Amino acid sequence: MTTSASIMRVLSLLISLCVFIWPTVTTAQETPKSAAAPVILVVGDSLSAEYGIRRGAGWVQWLGDNKKEALGDARLVNASISGDTTAGGRSRLAPLLEKHQPAIVILELGANDALRGLSLQASQDNLKNMIGSVKAAGARVILIGMQIPPNFGPDYARQFQEMFGSLAKEEDTYLVPFLFASFALDRNMYQDDGIHPAEQAQPLMAQTVWPVLQQALTDYRQRR
């Protein structure tokens, strides 16, 4: 084989390699890590964990199924655990933030603290710590408020209710004042235990959360 023929063969091989390699480089450049779809992480208790109802029938899943167009490329991740408290949520938040790298975190915790008569100061400290961790991770916080019946003690019930609004104002977070706002006094919306929302209440809970989530998502996209 002559020297000229050898050179031509090498050039042909290089051109062939470029044809296969070039599109891969372009694709990587077109989809940088910063353009990843935003994650909406829900950290809650049984009220968000589909306790006592069909899998996939909870309010978080309802949002994913019924607000697809508005959510766009955003992805909901439900990390709720039945029975969880603010202390439990605080202890497991860091690995969730590291794993999912969310844009928005919905904190739905505190009801079990109240039902067990735990210190509201401890609950507030836990929620405040979680809010700080979420913000430090570069995500926005939506705090979901709850209420308890006055038979737990009128002062305790009032302080519990006010805790969420005070925290949201102090920490400058988004706030859903009361998750059960649209059906709280309707007994038909609860399971037999009279505490957990029934399946038919899930869309109402989702619709209570949605306006606040929509605003948070809009703000995220505008300021990204």
Side-chain angles (χ1 to χ4, degrees), residues 6-7 12 25 33 52 67 70 76 79 104 111 128 166 176 187:
S6 299
I7 292 173
S12 297
V25 175
K33 188 175 182 179
K67 297 296 182 180
L76 281 157
I104 298 170
K128 188 172 183 178
S166 297
V176 176
R187 293 185 179 181

Side-chain angles (χ1 to χ4, degrees), residues 42 47-48 57-63 106 144 179 202 205-206 209:
V42 182
L47 303 180
S48 302
W59 70 266
V60 179
Q61 187 61 50
W62 191 95
L63 284 176
I106 299 177
I144 294 187
L179 186 58
Q202 302 300 315
M205 296 162 68
V209 173

Side-chain angles (χ1 to χ4, degrees), residues 105-180:
V105 176
I106 299 177
L107 296 178
E108 180 277 297
L109 288 167
N112 286 318
D113 296 46
L115 292 176
R116 298 173 189 178
L118 301 180
S119 162
L120 292 183
Q121 185 59 58
S123 300
Q124 182 171 314
D125 290 345
N126 289 329
L127 288 171
K128 188 172 183 178
N129 180 276
M130 294 176 75
I131 291 169
S133 297
V134 172
K135 286 184 173 182
R140 290 166 169 77
V141 180
I142 297 176
L143 188 62
I144 294 187
M146 278 299 297
Q147 297 179 21
I148 56 174
N151 61 306
F152 283 84
D155 290 340
Y156 186 87
R158 176 182 53 79
Q159 292 169 10
F160 177 75
Q161 176 183 347
E162 293 175 350
M163 175 179 69
F164 298 97
S166 297
L167 266 175
K169 183 176 181 180
E170 180 183 342
E171 300 297 323
D172 192 24
T173 74
Y174 299 92
L175 174 69
V176 176
F178 184 27
L179 186 58
F180 295 178

Side-chain angles (χ1 to χ4, degrees), residues 104 140 174 212-224:
I104 298 170
R140 290 166 169 77
Y174 299 92
V212 181
L213 174 55
Q214 185 178 34
Q215 184 61 59
L217 194 55
T218 297
D219 292 344
Y220 164 78
R221 285 169 171 155
Q222 288 177 345
R223 299 171 189 175
R224 182 166 53 174

Side-chain angles (χ1 to χ4, degrees), residues 5-25:
S6 299
I7 292 173
M8 290 301 295
R9 186 170 182 177
V10 171
L11 287 174
S12 297
L13 180 59
L14 288 173
I15 292 171
S16 297
L17 287 171
C18 287
V19 169
F20 287 105
I21 293 171
W22 181 254
T24 303
V25 175

